[in-house]
Amino acid sequence: MPRDDRAPRPDAPVYTGAERLQKVLAAAGVGSRRACEDLIFRRRVTVNGRVAQLGDKVDPTTAVIEVDGERLVADTRLVYLAMNKPRGVVSTMADEKGRTALADFLGNRVEQRVYHVGRLDADSEGLLLLTNDGTLAHRLMHPSYGVQKTYLCEVAGPIPRNLGKRLMAGVELEDGPARVDAFRVVDTLGRTAQVELTLHEGRKHIVRRLLAEVGHPVSRLVRTSIGPIRLGDLRAGRTRRLTNAEVAALFKAVGD
């Protein structure tokens, strides 16, 4: 897909009703209109499961458009952001107690009203997704879709050899058993260790409770990925728009 690393342009027009498909593709950041016409001509674009043809018109707010089998969000009203939540910030868009909240970091850069996907407690930091796509947000948060989240934790050491097996086998908590999907020791520094664990459920404080239960309380917790989206080198307090390829990967992760 040409230029699939490009996010939809924030200043792209919002269409109402049917528009020519190549115009919709170009507005979504796929490429120039001529490049989009070539994609259509080469039968690489489908609309609602049907191979598109030159001259087709679509409503970008309702049509399911795929390029090379990847879902493309053509509705320019939809916003998909990654944020690195700093420690000490509450996971709400606004806080009635006056504490620093997520919206304080957005300013006027995002006109649409967005919501956070999942939560991180105030003492935790790392990756959050912000979007106004309610359907995708629900699927990303619901455990039945099995979207994995990865965390880097600083814990009390030393770490016994069998800790990973114990966590993957399951640990009984006060609200039922919980287990991780993957676990590894990243580093050890005296009586402190860094561990990485991956799980797909989202009960409140589940990572902290799991590690405390097995005798390794968390002193620092950073979420490094949600499904295919990684925190990378995004600085604390900063946000970035997800690329078309990343949004397509999120849809694929929830089976859409």
Side-chain angles (χ1 to χ4, degrees):
M1 184 193 307
R3 292 167 58 185
D4 65 356
D5 60 335
R6 290 281 303 275
R9 300 198 313 269
D11 59 344
V14 175
Y15 298 112
T16 57
E19 296 284 345
R20 287 193 178 275
L21 179 56
Q22 61 266 35
K23 182 178 180 181
V24 172
L25 293 175
V30 173
S32 67
R33 289 198 193 182
R34 179 163 294 183
C36 293
E37 288 174 353
D38 185 63
L39 287 173
I40 298 169
F41 177 77
R42 295 178 181 275
R43 301 173 62 86
R44 293 169 61 184
V45 182
T46 63
V47 178
N48 298 330
R50 179 185 64 82
V51 176
Q53 297 180 354
L54 287 172
D56 282 353
K57 291 187 176 183
V58 299
D59 183 344
T61 65
T62 59
V64 176
I65 302 173
E66 293 185 348
V67 180
D68 292 336
E70 290 190 351
R71 175 79 172 265
L72 175 72
V73 177
D75 186 350
T76 54
R77 298 173 302 178
L78 294 177
V79 177
Y80 304 89
L81 303 172
M83 178 182 184
N84 186 348
K85 185 191 88 67
R87 192 170 187 170
V89 175
V90 294
S91 287
T92 58
M93 297 310 297
D95 184 64
E96 59 183 14
K97 297 181 180 179
R99 295 173 294 182
T100 304
L102 304 179
D104 296 326
F105 295 89
L106 297 179
N108 298 321
R109 289 171 293 164
V110 181
E111 295 181 359
Q112 297 88 338
R113 185 177 182 183
V114 295
Y115 305 90
H116 58 284
V117 177
R119 298 180 64 86
L120 285 172
D121 61 66
D123 289 332
S124 299
E125 54 197 290
L127 182 63
L128 279 175
L129 299 181
L130 306 175
T131 184
N132 56 355
D133 188 335
T135 300
L136 179 61
H138 169 74
R139 293 181 179 184
L140 289 172
M141 289 187 290
H142 201 285
S144 65
Y145 288 92
V147 177
Q148 294 182 325
K149 304 172 186 66
T150 300
Y151 301 84
L152 183 64
C153 303
E154 190 173 281
V155 301
I159 303 298
R161 287 179 175 269
N162 68 340
L163 182 61
K165 290 183 178 180
R166 184 179 175 187
L167 289 169
M168 287 187 282
V171 176
E172 190 67 36
L173 302 177
E174 66 273 15
D175 55 353
R179 66 178 185 85
V180 306
D181 300 323
F183 175 88
R184 71 183 181 99
V185 178
V186 177
D187 198 7
T188 55
L189 299 168
R191 296 185 178 181
T192 301
Q194 284 189 341
V195 299
E196 181 185 81
L197 52 88
T198 300
L199 68 168
H200 62 268
E201 69 164 289
R203 276 182 278 172
K204 189 174 182 180
H205 304 312
I206 187 66
V207 175
R208 292 181 181 275
R209 291 193 291 135
L210 262 174
L211 290 170
E213 184 65 26
V214 296
H216 299 277
V218 175
S219 56
R220 185 185 181 194
L221 184 152
V222 181
R223 182 156 62 200
T224 57
S225 72
I226 299 175
I229 310 304
R230 298 186 178 278
L231 180 64
D233 57 2
L234 186 63
R235 294 172 57 187
R238 296 295 182 88
T239 61
R240 68 172 180 85
R241 289 181 180 266
L242 299 186
T243 66
N244 285 333
E246 287 177 316
V247 175
L250 284 176
F251 277 108
K252 187 175 182 178
V254 297
D256 193 354

